[in-house]
Amino acid sequence: MKRTVGAAVTYLGGGGGARGLVPGGHARPAAGLCDPGSSQSRQASDAPRNQPPSSEFVARSVGICSMMRLPVQASPEGLDAAFIGVPLDIGTSNRPGARFGPRRIREESVLLRTANPSTGALPFQSLMVADLGDVNVNLYNLQDSCRLIREAYQKIVAAGCIPLTLGGDHTITYPILQAMAEKHGPMGLVHVDAHMDMADKALGEKLYHGTPFRRCVDEGLLDCKRVVQIGIRGSSMTLDTYRYSRSQGFRVVLAEDCWMKSLVPLMGKVRQQMGVRPIYISFDIDGLDPAYAPGTGTPEIAGLTPSQALEIIRGCQGLNVVGCDLVEVSPPYDPSGNTALVAANLLFEMLCVLPKVTVA
């Protein structure tokens, strides 16, 4: 049966899914960005907001597989922020499987809760958040997939919704930033990665997961004086592999410059560099050492630790963050689920640093 409360529909009994158990009555059908569901008007500021269900009342194994067991809806209308999956890995140069990353991250996110005691952030008391499902990518055509991603994010950005993306290989950041820059102009970028992803082409192709930020530079999507790349490491074909990024004005922070130290001082400098204009956070899970995150396509030894990852993301608090992504989780190489668990936690931390989030 169902009971209508205002414009929201609360499902009661008869299904046992998370939609009938989310407090506040903001249930949505299990849909995604590929579903042409109808738009919903923006919630009144005093209306109840979506909350992930507490394990004190709802077993963690209960419900549809959404990020943090949040309601799933087809439209970004009415949302301040949303989790979106982009299950694409045909831009991958080594070990495939990142197309399964969004689903696995959602599965591991069941452990997450609503508050962040370490930072005092209360995102679900501040923002209306939901899971928008997945972009319907074309696994046989990378160019067409980029078009589909760009068009999906144009709608999200136009609705005033901040996207938090579950990847997917790093190619996806290029069309996302195309959509973001249409609204915000050239973007600042906090990019955590083992690799700079600034190659020009490979096998004659100018679009794959090693080229997204080169394409962004070519199209003027980045404010190059407000770009930082952190965690860069690994072997290379040349000794001047960092030259192009630095020639564009990027701050390139090598992994060895992060070893055995806190990154809080670095992030103080980054905040000064970024200023008040919009920035985007792009976090490749291979920025972490494979001891912590083995489930990725191009692992490099001697990377960042999870605590350093938290210092980087939390160091973005107070900045004008307008979008985020977490990419390159490859579940076939993550049998324990630990990489996806780390990814889910980092996405929650990104949600916690969004500009309108209340900090107690």
Side-chain angles (χ1 to χ4, degrees):
M1 111 186 173
K2 65 182 180 180
R3 178 179 66 211
T4 302
V5 183
V9 177
T10 304
Y11 289 82
L12 302 171
R19 289 173 291 169
L21 297 164
V22 177
H26 291 281
R28 308 296 199 289
L33 291 176
C34 56
D35 187 316
S38 60
S39 298
Q40 300 186 22
S41 59
R42 180 167 292 275
Q43 298 288 335
S45 61
D46 58 348
R49 295 184 175 90
N50 294 335
Q51 294 278 342
S54 168
S55 60
E56 294 181 36
F57 307 106
V58 182
R60 287 198 169 98
S61 57
V62 170
I64 61 173
C65 187
S66 66
M67 187 66 180
M68 296 184 70
R69 297 190 293 172
L70 285 162
V72 180
Q73 69 181 61
S75 169
E77 295 298 328
L79 298 178
D80 299 301
F83 295 102
I84 306 102
V86 185
L88 181 76
D89 65 359
I90 59 173
T92 303
S93 60
N94 189 33
R95 307 191 305 194
R99 70 181 64 181
F100 304 114
R103 184 173 301 174
R104 193 71 174 100
I105 293 169
R106 287 181 172 113
E107 290 175 358
E108 294 298 331
S109 75
V110 71
L111 190 60
L112 295 170
R113 304 167 184 90
T114 58
N116 191 332
S118 297
T119 66
L122 297 165
F124 299 103
Q125 291 187 21
S126 314
L127 307 174
M128 178 61 83
V129 188
D131 189 324
L132 285 178
D134 292 332
V135 176
N136 190 20
V137 295
N138 182 348
L139 292 177
Y140 309 119
N141 188 318
L142 189 55
Q143 291 280 358
D144 190 44
S145 285
C146 286
R147 176 188 64 82
L148 291 167
I149 295 166
R150 181 178 63 254
E151 291 176 356
Y153 278 76
Q154 286 170 334
K155 295 176 182 177
I156 293 167
V157 173
C161 176
I162 297 177
L164 298 106
T165 302
L166 293 64
D169 74 54
H170 221 153
T171 313
I172 71 174
T173 305
Y174 164 55
I176 292 172
L177 283 174
Q178 286 181 313
M180 303 296 292
E182 280 185 19
K183 177 172 182 177
H184 300 289
M187 303 286 296
L189 176 69
V190 175
H191 172 209
V192 183
D193 205 323
H195 315 95
M196 291 180 292
D197 295 349
M198 289 286 284
D200 187 36
K201 60 184 177 179
L203 304 179
E205 298 297 326
K206 296 177 77 68
L207 187 59
Y208 77 108
H209 74 162
T211 65
F213 300 112
R214 183 67 166 259
R215 302 287 79 83
C216 288
V217 170
D218 290 346
E219 295 182 18
L221 307 180
L222 297 176
D223 180 355
C224 293
K225 299 300 182 183
R226 296 193 305 124
V227 175
V228 59
Q229 298 180 301
I230 306 172
I232 308 301
R233 62 190 188 280
S235 57
S236 176
M237 299 303 294
T238 66
L239 293 178
D240 63 349
T241 186
Y242 316 123
R243 181 173 58 85
Y244 182 78
S245 283
R246 287 174 169 158
S247 73
Q248 300 303 307
F250 292 13
R251 180 195 294 266
V252 179
V253 182
L254 305 183
E256 49 261 48
D257 295 329
C258 302
W259 290 346
M260 310 300 290
K261 66 176 67 171
S262 168
L263 300 188
V264 170
L266 169 65
M267 292 310 297
K269 297 176 183 177
V270 169
R271 282 195 300 276
Q272 290 182 342
Q273 177 183 357
M274 296 299 164
V276 299
R277 295 172 61 195
I279 73 159
Y280 187 87
I281 301 172
S282 186
F283 200 115
D284 187 324
I285 201 67
D286 73 23
L288 299 185
D289 190 276
Y292 306 106
T296 191
T298 49
E300 304 281 2
I301 68 166
L304 304 176
T305 67
S307 58
Q308 289 176 316
L310 293 184
E311 288 179 324
I312 293 169
I313 296 172
R314 292 174 181 177
C316 294
Q317 190 168 31
L319 295 178
N320 187 11
V321 180
V322 296
C324 314
D325 65 48
L326 190 294
V327 298
E328 299 284 358
V329 172
S330 182
Y333 298 94
D334 188 34
S336 71
N338 194 62
T339 307
L341 177 64
V342 173
N345 276 271
L346 296 182
L347 282 158
F348 172 67
E349 293 285 341
M350 293 176 191
L351 175 67
C352 289
V353 301
L354 296 185
K356 294 182 181 179
V357 171
T358 301
V359 178

